[in-house]
Amino acid sequence: MEDETYACGTGVTACALSANLRYGFEDFVDVKVLGGDLRIEFNRTDDNTYENVWLIGPAEKVFSGEINV
């Protein structure tokens, strides 16, 4: 993973769904990121789309401050 954040939810979810589409394993994937263990659960439909995608894991505050855009 390039430039991993503490809980890179979007990246790990996309990887989990891509891997499931290619290899067809279970309807969940457990991953480890800097912020802790995450589980991505999903339902794959008959037309190879995904429904009910959930990212499950601990939430922890890792930043406090301001961001100027």
Side-chain angles (χ1 to χ4, degrees), residues 8-63:
C8 187
T10 328
V12 296
T13 302
C15 289
L17 298 181
S18 296
N20 176 266
L21 187 60
R22 181 171 180 148
Y23 301 110
F25 48 80
E26 299 293 328
D27 56 354
F28 69 90
V29 177
D30 292 325
V31 294
K32 293 183 182 297
V33 293
L34 291 175
D37 296 344
L38 297 175
R39 174 172 278 209
I40 297 94
E41 294 182 357
F42 47 84
N43 299 110
R44 183 172 168 182
T45 65
D46 291 336
D47 63 348
N48 289 326
T49 58
Y50 292 91
E51 298 176 332
N52 303 314
V53 179
W54 291 90
L55 178 62
I56 302 164
E60 182 179 331
K61 183 177 180 179
V62 295
F63 174 80

